[in-house]
Amino acid sequence: MKSFTYERANSPAEAAASAARIQGAKFIAGGTNLLDLMKLQIETPVHLIDVNDLALNKIEATTEGGLRIGALVRNTDLAADAQVRRDYGVLSRALVAGASGQLRNQATTAGNLLQRTRCPYFYDTNQPCNKRQPGSGCGAMGGYSRQHAIVGVSDACIATHPSDMAVAMRVLDASVETVRPNGSMRTIPIADFHRLPGNTPHIETSLEPGELITAVTLPKPVGGKQIYHKVRDRASYAFALVSVAAIVQRDGTGRVALGGVAHKPWRVEAAEQDLPRGAKVVADRLLEKPRTTDDNAFKVLLVERTIASVLTEAKG
């Protein structure tokens, strides 16, 4: 473990200002991702800013009829919240599908969104990785790539975003509220929050240096049948090979977002108009011109079949 300094922030603005002032600083709350990476010396922050004492752990109704979820709300509490279960069932189901009970007890809403987009080559410091060391190359290219992305990839990175919660947030059209180091606040649509890899896969979100997430806001409930299906290699504690978050209305229309296929939660709104036409049509539009390898080409068919399973459940 490399040495670092530590402080407890007294306000969101103070935390953001401190992070901007000290190069190499990181926020810490649950620490379920950051501490693991520190132990492996993949993340080596020089300063940790503990935000656990900030009053950001409430779930509250908004004046628009939606829900405001504090950045420090634990995943277990969010999944069990009565209003979330009633009005945003896809979110509750996605949260329960993620990680393990112990991790969900500790992990926070903001931390879940901010966990690193990663793959086994990211963890192996003997392998090149543009996310870990920009410009070093990508060991997954030409390597074993069963878990890797098939859309939105680049020559620099083919890792997939691991969050189940973020896929549900994407299908719900959530917004991320933040505070900047100068104390100003802004709201980022979830569609714009996570970035595709391009030539800079180490830059994973649209946050500015020092910017702190304070809450995630959900719009007014849209009703419908809300489903989250996760296909993985083992029954628990595994990232998705493919996941589908869907909201299907009585007339067959709705929304769909995918996990396990891209560097960010994957949603193509234009494809959703084809939901009444069936899974294959929707899957073809969601995965238009996929970039697959011999190891992960099966994901194209798996997406279609998982969407078909979701639509069947919605009709039933």
Side-chain angles (χ1 to χ4, degrees), residues 179-200:
V179 61
R180 291 177 166 126
N182 63 5
S184 65
M185 295 176 287
R186 70 165 172 156
T187 300
I188 307 169
I190 192 71
D192 301 327
F193 184 77
H194 296 105
R195 293 165 48 111
L196 292 178
N199 295 322
T200 55

Side-chain angles (χ1 to χ4, degrees), residues 58-207:
K58 296 181 177 62
I59 303 173
E60 303 169 306
T62 67
T63 56
E64 294 80 14
L67 210 60
R68 188 175 187 270
I69 302 160
L72 296 177
V73 173
R74 307 291 162 166
N75 286 179
T76 295
D77 296 332
L78 183 57
D81 182 82
Q83 189 170 349
V84 172
R85 294 178 64 186
R86 184 184 70 240
D87 296 332
Y88 307 96
V90 65
L91 176 58
S92 182
R93 293 180 177 93
L95 285 161
V96 172
S100 66
Q102 295 93 329
L103 286 174
R104 293 194 296 271
N105 288 342
Q106 186 71 7
T108 63
T109 300
N112 194 308
L113 289 177
L114 289 173
Q115 61 182 302
R116 296 297 304 271
T117 303
R118 57 200 188 272
C119 79
Y121 293 91
F122 172 80
Y123 283 109
D124 186 350
T125 55
N126 293 313
Q127 296 287 338
C129 175
N130 289 314
K131 298 181 74 64
R132 195 178 61 245
Q133 185 178 352
S136 63
C138 176
M141 298 289 185
Y144 184 64
S145 52
R146 171 179 167 80
Q147 294 275 354
H148 290 71
I150 58 175
V151 286
V153 303
S154 72
D155 291 335
C157 184
I158 57 173
T160 57
H161 196 278
S163 173
D164 296 287
M165 185 196 78
V167 182
M169 292 290 194
R170 180 68 181 90
V171 87
L172 288 168
D173 283 330
S175 297
V176 180
E177 298 180 6
T178 71
V179 61
R180 291 177 166 126
N182 63 5
S184 65
M185 295 176 287
R186 70 165 172 156
T187 300
I188 307 169
I190 192 71
D192 301 327
F193 184 77
H194 296 105
R195 293 165 48 111
L196 292 178
N199 295 322
T200 55
H202 60 291
I203 304 175
E204 297 174 349
T205 73
S206 58
L207 292 176

